[in-house]
């Protein structure tokens, strides 16, 4: 699968798939009451749902968080290694006077 760099592409793609799935699903069956009126709500009167966070945005946040954690652990290990190296160097230079 090709890597697509445009993040808006995936949003448009998922929106198109969602709209296609809605269009292909059967219309809800409404039942009539005793006086002949339709008791069910029509599909057009139903309010649209506004999503504030899409699946793609959540995936980007997860990836960003994982990268931050990875870099933090890597820098921590690097700093620890540097500190151990400095302590070993210092002990080798001044080791005679300590013991």
């Amino acid at each position: 699968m090709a890597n697509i760099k445009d993040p808006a592409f995936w949003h448009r793609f998922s929106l198109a798939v969602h709209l296609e799935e809605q269009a292909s699903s059967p219309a809800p069956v409404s039942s009539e009451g005793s006086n002949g009126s339709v008791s069910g709500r029509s599909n057009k009167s139903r309010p649209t749902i506004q999503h504030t966070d899409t699946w793609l945005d959540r995936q980007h946040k997860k990836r960003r968080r994982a990268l931050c954690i990875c870099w933090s652990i890597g820098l921590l290990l690097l700093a620890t290694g540097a500190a151990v190296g400095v302590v070993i160097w210092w002990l080798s230079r001044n080791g005679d006077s300590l013991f």
Side-chain angles (χ1 to χ4, degrees):
M1 187 168 154
N3 289 336
I4 297 175
K5 300 294 183 186
D6 182 21
F9 168 80
W10 293 111
H11 177 68
R12 290 189 308 268
F13 178 78
S14 63
L15 184 62
V17 169
H18 181 69
L19 290 174
E20 183 178 309
E21 286 176 352
Q22 277 185 340
S24 66
S25 67
V29 177
S30 60
S31 61
E32 293 185 355
S34 60
N35 59 0
S37 65
V38 176
S39 62
R41 292 187 346 177
S42 69
N43 200 14
K44 292 184 181 186
S45 67
R46 195 165 60 179
T48 59
I49 298 173
Q50 296 294 327
H51 294 286
T52 57
D53 195 19
T54 63
W55 175 84
L56 187 60
D57 291 335
R58 288 191 308 270
Q59 297 305 312
H60 284 298
K61 286 178 185 176
K62 284 182 188 178
R63 180 169 166 77
R64 219 173 304 137
R65 184 174 46 234
L67 284 173
C68 287
I69 291 171
C70 183
W71 276 103
S72 298
I73 291 172
L75 289 175
L76 183 65
L77 287 173
L78 186 66
T80 303
V84 167
V86 168
V87 167
I88 290 173
W89 173 77
W90 184 75
L91 286 176
S92 70
R93 303 268 291 166
N94 300 324
D96 297 338
S97 63
L98 290 178
F99 300 108

